[in-house]
Amino acid sequence: MKLFLKRLFKITGVALLVLIILGFLLVDFIDRTPLKQLTAYQETMQSLEDSTYTVLQGDNPIKAGWAAVNITPNYPAPLAGYGIRKEFSEVNDSLFVRAVVFEKDKKVYAMVSYDLMVVPKVAIEKITGKLPFLAPHHLYLSATHTHSGYGGWEGTFLGQVITGFANETTIEMLSKATQTALEKAYASRKAISMEYGTITAPQYVNNRLSKGKKDDGLRFVRLRPAQGPSAIITTYAAHPTNINKKLQILSGDYPGILMAQLESSPSIDFALFAAGMVGSHSPNYNIGGKDIPRAKKIGEGLANLLIEQMDSVAIPSKSSGIGMIHFPVHVHEAQFRIDQDLRIRHTVFNLLTGGLTPKVSAFQVGDLFFMGMPCDFSGEIYLDHSIEKIAQDKGLFPIVTSFNGEYIGYIIPDKYYDTVKKHETREMNWFGPYQEEYFVSIMEKILSKWPSTQ
């Protein structure tokens, strides 16, 4: 009996020692160093201060062209959204990659959005250098963020856990479709005028983190040629999560339905949806119906608001300036949270993700000022700060979109970091406290340095 107890104590001791060593190697405490003391913050702000902010001006008009290419797989592919998913077994509506190309004085810029959860970065990398008319740094990216799209296009370990194993056939298909969309858009460019505005649509969106503010603005840009139908670029803050994760249905959710409804109008032949500030917003699950019927109700409702109200609220763009800059964002150690004050050690996180290199994208076209964020960005942050006023004082109309080709998790109000126990503040909050303060500082610095249209 004594010999047995000795062996038991020894085995228990070794097991505890192994657990302690593993804990030390894999787990660390949340770093709560004040933001402005971090080297990453200081380097980013200095880089923004030193950057050259160039916008092409002059009286020559802006030309634009647009195109969409179907990216619906004709073979089984894993669904991407909500975590690990099975392959889709039914297609409710087709998915597309959509491109708008802008040209002024032979300088070309483009906006691309995918009917997917996020931008398939590898598809963009594969076409780099294959488009002689478009410099890689003149490309503004986003996605609709549908949680009923497909995966199979992500190369990192963590990315494949979320979106399914990488499939070279899928990657090649997305790459070719993106290139084709850009080439067709470039070939169709013509002189256009631009209008923009915001329509309030509170009935379709909720704040899913708290009873706080919600961004209910349906923002739009209308590109109008001298003859023929127009193109619409639009954003909205509700997460496209209407379809239950248990259903194996491929769908663009409400953004896909919204775009299809717009394109059924005789005056509109193209629509592009870019996910807005979705980080703290859900669809209004109480609007009526569920799954596809609810997505249809929201998508068609938003489209009808645009069709009915655009003419009365649209503001003509006065400027013909155009310019795009991507600003690198230095990040501190990753803080993938597993408990209130514990995180996965940043070296382990980097192994899982391959290391992250986020950026903030800024794109002015006319009076419009798009800011692309590398995250699920919270609309509540936007409403709590003076980002819009700073832009408007420069004669710019700001539109903030999420998923700009890089991804660093959720950026949510700092006040929720320790008070709200949801996945937005836990496993999807990858860089710890003070990210609201950090990204607001970045956005305000960019806007303060950007040339005025006044």
Side-chain angles (χ1 to χ4, degrees):
M1 184 67 178
K2 286 183 179 179
L3 182 60
F4 170 76
L5 289 173
K6 269 188 178 182
R7 288 178 176 174
L8 180 61
F9 286 140
K10 183 181 281 188
I11 292 169
T12 303
V14 170
L16 285 172
L17 181 61
V18 169
L19 287 173
I20 290 170
I21 292 171
L22 283 175
F24 178 78
L25 293 174
L26 301 178
V27 179
D28 202 351
F29 291 103
I30 296 292
D31 185 349
R32 295 178 183 272
T33 303
L35 176 67
K36 293 180 181 178
Q37 294 180 21
L38 297 176
T39 301
Y41 171 85
Q42 295 166 2
E43 290 177 344
T44 297
M45 299 311 290
Q46 189 61 54
S47 175
L48 294 175
E49 181 65 33
D50 296 340
S51 293
T52 301
Y53 296 73
T54 303
V55 175
L56 184 63
Q57 301 287 1
D59 295 331
N60 289 337
I62 294 173
K63 296 180 180 179
W66 43 86
V69 174
N70 196 314
I71 55 171
T72 309
N74 58 6
Y75 52 86
L79 289 161
Y82 308 110
I84 300 171
R85 304 280 300 279
K86 296 179 180 179
E87 295 173 340
F88 69 85
S89 58
E90 176 187 343
V91 177
N92 182 76
D93 48 283
S94 294
L95 306 183
F96 294 83
V97 56
R98 301 164 191 268
V100 180
V101 166
F102 298 91
E103 182 189 38
K104 179 182 174 71
D105 295 341
K106 298 184 179 179
K107 295 284 187 181
V108 176
Y109 303 82
M111 178 179 290
V112 173
S113 185
Y114 294 85
D115 292 350
L116 297 172
M117 187 169 66
V118 297
V119 172
K121 185 179 174 181
V122 66
I124 298 297
E125 292 170 345
K126 287 179 76 74
I127 65 169
T128 300
K130 294 184 178 181
L131 297 165
F133 57 86
L134 182 65
H137 60 282
H138 283 180
L139 187 57
Y140 184 99
L141 299 169
S142 189
T144 64
H145 201 46
T146 175
H147 281 49
S148 296
Y150 60 88
W153 35 257
E154 174 58 50
T156 66
F157 176 82
L158 184 60
Q160 292 188 59
V161 168
I162 296 171
T163 68
F165 291 118
N167 182 328
E168 190 57 40
T169 300
T170 298
I171 293 169
E172 189 63 26
M173 181 265 288
L174 285 168
S175 174
K176 288 182 178 178
T178 304
Q179 182 172 344
T180 300
L182 285 163
E183 289 172 340
K184 287 184 174 181
Y186 179 73
S188 70
R189 65 200 189 281
K190 76 277 293 180
I192 52 103
S193 60
M194 287 185 293
E195 301 166 327
Y196 57 88
T198 302
I199 296 167
T200 55
Q203 63 271 43
Y204 299 118
V205 63
N206 280 332
N207 185 325
R208 71 186 196 180
L209 291 181
S210 72
K211 295 181 180 180
K213 299 174 184 176
K214 64 180 182 182
D215 174 27
D216 58 13
L218 177 61
R219 297 172 179 86
F220 70 89
V221 181
R222 179 159 57 182
L223 311 178
R224 305 185 75 162
Q227 294 182 331
S230 301
I232 304 296
I233 299 169
T234 188
T235 72
Y236 193 60
H239 249 84
T241 51
N242 286 290
I243 301 168
N244 192 293
K245 63 184 177 182
K246 294 180 181 179
L247 299 178
Q248 295 170 245
I249 298 175
L250 192 72
S251 173
D253 205 292
Y254 83 83
I257 295 165
L258 184 161
M259 289 183 284
Q261 181 79 354
L262 287 176
E263 290 171 351
S264 69
S265 169
S267 62
I268 301 167
D269 70 350
F270 173 88
L272 180 152
F273 182 96
M277 295 173 279
V278 297
S280 51
H281 291 83
S282 71
N284 180 3
Y285 292 118
N286 298 317
I287 194 72
K290 63 179 182 177
D291 303 318
I292 296 297
R294 184 172 60 221
K296 186 175 181 182
K297 188 168 187 176
I298 294 174
E300 291 182 352
L302 291 169
N304 289 335
L305 283 175
L306 285 166
I307 292 168
E308 293 164 5
Q309 296 186 32
M310 269 193 299
D311 286 343
S312 62
V313 303
I315 302 169
S317 175
K318 298 176 182 178
S319 169
S320 60
I322 192 167
M324 185 185 300
I325 306 174
H326 302 284
F327 299 94
V329 176
H330 299 274
V331 289
H332 189 50
E333 294 179 355
Q335 305 208 56
F336 190 100
R337 207 173 186 191
I338 56 176
D339 199 9
Q340 182 74 7
D341 291 301
L342 294 177
R343 56 168 167 146
I344 293 176
R345 194 170 287 275
H346 72 97
T347 51
V348 177
F349 182 83
N350 288 343
L351 285 174
L352 296 175
T353 62
L356 302 176
T357 55
K359 64 188 177 186
V360 170
S361 302
F363 178 31
Q364 179 188 337
V365 53
D367 293 348
L368 283 303
F369 192 76
F370 292 94
M371 298 191 81
M373 311 305 287
C375 56
D376 287 78
F377 188 79
S378 168
E380 194 173 347
I381 292 175
Y382 181 85
L383 296 174
D384 281 341
H385 293 273
S386 55
I387 297 163
E388 185 170 278
K389 183 179 185 306
I390 296 172
Q392 290 176 345
D393 287 346
K394 297 258 180 151
L396 298 169
F397 178 79
I399 298 179
V400 179
T401 62
S402 298
F403 316 111
N404 69 356
E406 306 292 342
Y407 189 71
I408 60 169
Y410 276 69
I411 304 298
I412 49 95
D414 291 340
K415 63 186 177 184
Y416 297 142
Y417 189 75
D418 289 313
T419 60
V420 175
K421 294 183 179 180
K422 294 186 177 181
H423 80 278
E424 294 92 340
T425 62
R426 296 291 172 127
E427 65 270 20
M428 290 307 297
N429 193 297
W430 293 356
F431 283 90
Y434 319 128
Q435 293 307 296
E436 171 188 10
E437 181 184 356
Y438 192 17
F439 276 84
V440 169
S441 296
I442 291 169
M443 297 166 79
E444 290 182 347
K445 172 62 78 171
I446 291 170
L447 281 165
S448 70
K449 300 280 289 183
W450 201 267
S452 174
T453 66
Q454 307 282 32

